[in-house]
Amino acid sequence: MTEPLAPTVIILAAGEGKRMKSAVPKVLHELCGRTMLGHVVAAARELAPQRLAVVVGKGRDLVAPHVQAIAPEALLAVQDPQHGTGQATRLALEALAAAGAEPHGTVLVLLGDGAMVTAGTLRHLIAEHEQAGNAVTDLTAVVPDPTGLGRILREPDGTPEGRVIGIVEERDCTPVQATIHEVNSGIFAFDAKLLRDALSRLTTDNAQGEELLTDVMAIAVGDGLPVGAVVAADHHEVLAANDRAQLADLRRLMNQRITRHWMVEGVTIVDPATTWIDVHVTLEPDATVRPNTQLEGATRIGAGADVGPNCTLKDTVVGAGARVTNATTDGAEIGPQASVGPYTYLRPGTRLGRKAKAGGFVEIKKSTIGDGSKVPHLAYIGDATIGEGTNIGAGVITANYDGYNKFPTHIGDHAFVGTNTTLIAPAEVADGAYVAAGSALTRPVGPGELAVARGQQRNIAGYVARKRPGSPAALAAERARDRAGEGAAPGAPEAVADSGHETNATGSESGAPGDAV
């Protein structure tokens, strides 16, 4: 027995979408990380069609390049001016024939804004169409509110089991027909030969003054050919968006579909209603996603990782067992068991090694933080490479930009950079080296060396009394001196006005390295 031919798929994407009130064509508005047209193309490509044709018209300077980017094999047909869905389909068939790919067998016509339809439903439609030997098979749905949608006419009594005899647009419905809840989706499977013939017989004798694809069904019925309808199991699959409010409804429905899929796959999503996941995101079992989290682009979350709350991760890889909280990341790689947040910004090119840490109020850009190294708080690290087991103190900055060029910083393994240090790039801190708190480095630090780069402290006695006499500070200082004088031992020396006393190089007589804990 000969296998049935793969279908030819035509996607109608020539409409303007005026109700979107946007400079962006309607089909290019996004849902969960993919344009509406992108969702339709993805479903079509899952069918492995003989040929894929996309009809473009309004905004084709934007739509056509998008189609070529997501489906290079697609044939583009231009509809200009736009005179209806029937005309658009005819132009697609003509373009396919001109390209030597005239369709045979089943032709599937999809809508460019029909983002909710799945490949599984389309396969079912094609199978039912071919098994029944229909000339036309419509994908329909029974919806709670059919307002604004074309109704499916069946005989004898209009029930879903009756024989399909046509489609009537709402404006043409009788009062009885208006009560029908089975509606047309605009998605059809056609016999290619019948479709070519019927399209040549379409007229513009209708309220819209257009060639309507729905009239092909009426022509087939009039010719005594078999027609049918397949009712979608989920009526949400036939929904489209004509304005921003409907677009938001579709986005919510698609996100529900995505979050449910991942929960079934073993991912804990604490609050699906406030968790938004793009279609290209992947999550491994036992990952946890906490409330108010957005996972965008090609983000990947490893097994046992814990992300959220209040995170936005774009094109980010999170390793197994890592923890990310209250963070924004873009193009970052977070290693296994690493820790990020809170209030952290990881910019493109950031790589955290195993068990590395990027703590609170830390920004990292185009830098590698080695295994076990820590940037715990209040730091900016840019264009840097940091080795293993190194600690970066609070307030550390890599001064990587001179106003014209970016320069790198290299910090070795098991090094220590004290608080409030500025590393003026290009900078080098070798393995095992220490940098005293408050330093501004302009020269390399060798292995095991201690770098101190700051001015010696001077205490100027009487400064406030001379410069701010009578001020609250001066009065407080006077009271403090009086208290100190009362407790002083007889003969105690006065305070040194310009002390030359030196502490150790880290800024502490106790020998502490100068980090903030």
Side-chain angles (χ1 to χ4, degrees):
M1 182 176 178
T2 305
E3 287 289 326
L5 292 172
T8 295
V9 178
I10 296 172
I11 301 175
L12 307 184
E16 182 176 4
K18 290 182 179 179
R19 281 182 282 175
M20 283 290 182
K21 299 181 179 179
S22 174
V24 177
K26 178 171 74 167
V27 296
L28 297 188
H29 284 264
E30 290 195 1
L31 297 173
C32 301
R34 188 185 270 159
T35 64
M36 287 197 282
L37 178 56
H39 284 288
V40 181
V41 168
R45 295 180 87 190
E46 285 191 47
L47 305 176
Q50 290 183 64
R51 287 302 301 264
L52 172 63
V54 180
V55 182
V56 297
K58 293 289 187 179
R60 62 181 178 274
D61 56 324
L62 298 175
V63 178
H66 179 63
V67 172
Q68 292 168 342
I70 62 176
E73 78 281 9
L75 176 70
L76 293 174
V78 177
Q79 184 188 25
D80 185 18
Q82 291 79 43
H83 289 312
T85 52
Q87 182 206 37
T89 305
R90 177 168 51 79
L91 291 171
L93 290 181
E94 291 172 358
L96 287 164
E102 187 169 7
H104 300 280
T106 299
V107 175
L108 184 66
V109 178
L110 307 177
L111 301 180
D113 61 352
M116 295 298 294
V117 72
T118 63
T121 293
L122 296 178
R123 287 193 190 95
H124 180 57
L125 170 65
I126 293 169
E128 292 292 319
H129 169 77
E130 294 179 350
Q131 184 176 348
N134 286 340
V136 185
T137 306
D138 186 9
L139 179 66
T140 70
V142 178
V143 297
D145 180 8
T147 301
L149 301 172
R151 310 305 204 272
I152 301 300
L153 302 181
R154 294 177 182 263
E155 63 176 17
D157 55 4
T159 63
E161 293 76 25
R163 184 172 69 90
V164 175
I165 57 173
I167 302 169
V168 60
E169 297 301 322
E170 183 173 63
R171 71 185 70 182
D172 300 320
C173 284
T174 66
V176 172
Q177 290 169 342
T179 65
I180 296 172
H181 283 252
E182 185 181 7
V183 299
N184 170 43
S185 69
I187 295 173
F188 294 92
F190 294 102
D191 173 76
K193 183 177 179 180
L194 169 280
L195 181 61
R196 280 190 293 270
D197 175 66
L199 289 174
S200 69
R201 296 156 62 186
L202 291 179
T203 71
T204 58
D205 186 19
N206 51 58
Q208 294 93 323
E210 297 179 341
E211 298 176 36
L212 301 178
L213 190 61
T214 50
D215 288 347
V216 171
M217 179 174 282
I219 290 171
V221 170
D223 289 349
L225 299 173
V227 300
V230 170
V231 181
D234 179 359
H235 73 269
H236 294 124
E237 289 197 37
V238 308
L239 298 180
N242 292 310
D243 56 36
R244 307 298 180 103
Q246 292 176 347
L247 185 67
D249 290 339
L250 292 194
R251 188 176 290 116
R252 174 180 53 82
L253 290 167
M254 184 164 289
N255 192 64
Q256 288 175 354
R257 179 189 292 175
I258 293 169
T259 54
R260 178 168 292 278
H261 164 77
W262 288 116
M263 288 188 286
V264 170
E265 292 297 313
V267 175
T268 295
I269 298 178
V270 176
D271 184 11
T274 62
T275 300
W276 294 85
I277 302 177
D278 282 357
V279 291
H280 294 298
V281 171
T282 58
L283 300 99
E284 295 183 4
D286 291 323
T288 296
V289 183
R290 299 187 182 277
N292 300 318
T293 292
Q294 300 179 67
L295 304 179
E296 301 176 350
T299 293
R300 292 184 283 138
I301 310 297
D306 194 322
V307 178
N310 309 315
C311 287
T312 299
L313 276 57
K314 181 180 180 182
D315 297 326
T316 294
V317 177
V318 180
R323 179 76 177 97
V324 183
T325 180
N326 293 279
T328 299
T329 71
D330 183 358
E333 182 177 336
I334 300 166
Q337 298 176 278
S339 172
V340 176
Y343 313 115
T344 307
Y345 183 21
L346 303 184
R347 291 165 58 188
T350 296
R351 297 183 61 194
L352 303 185
R354 179 180 293 274
K355 295 186 177 180
K357 179 175 183 177
F361 300 99
V362 167
E363 180 177 349
I364 302 177
K365 167 248 171 186
K366 199 178 179 181
S367 298
T368 298
I369 313 299
D371 293 353
S373 289
K374 299 177 181 178
V375 187
H377 30 218
L378 300 162
Y380 169 72
I381 305 297
D383 298 290
T385 302
I386 299 175
E388 299 180 3
T390 288
N391 188 86
I392 306 297
V396 170
I397 294 173
T398 59
N400 58 328
Y401 184 49
D402 67 356
Y404 298 95
N405 299 297
K406 300 287 180 71
F407 297 94
T409 294
H410 300 284
I411 303 173
D413 296 340
H414 303 286
F416 185 98
V417 180
T419 58
N420 292 320
T421 290
T422 300
L423 302 162
I424 301 173
E428 182 82 31
V429 178
D431 293 352
Y434 273 56
V435 179
S439 293
L441 293 190
T442 58
R443 291 185 295 153
V445 183
E449 292 182 347
L450 170 62
V452 184
R454 61 189 181 206
Q456 183 173 309
Q457 180 177 329
R458 298 177 61 208
N459 297 345
I460 310 300
Y463 170 84
V464 173
R466 292 195 303 274
K467 298 293 185 180
R468 301 286 187 271
S471 69
L475 297 174
E478 184 178 353
R479 289 193 296 270
R481 284 196 301 270
D482 290 343
R483 288 194 300 270
E486 292 172 1
E494 295 184 2
V496 178
D498 188 359
S499 173
H501 177 67
E502 294 186 9
T503 63
N504 67 24
T506 62
S508 169
E509 299 216 27
S510 67
D515 188 20
V517 177

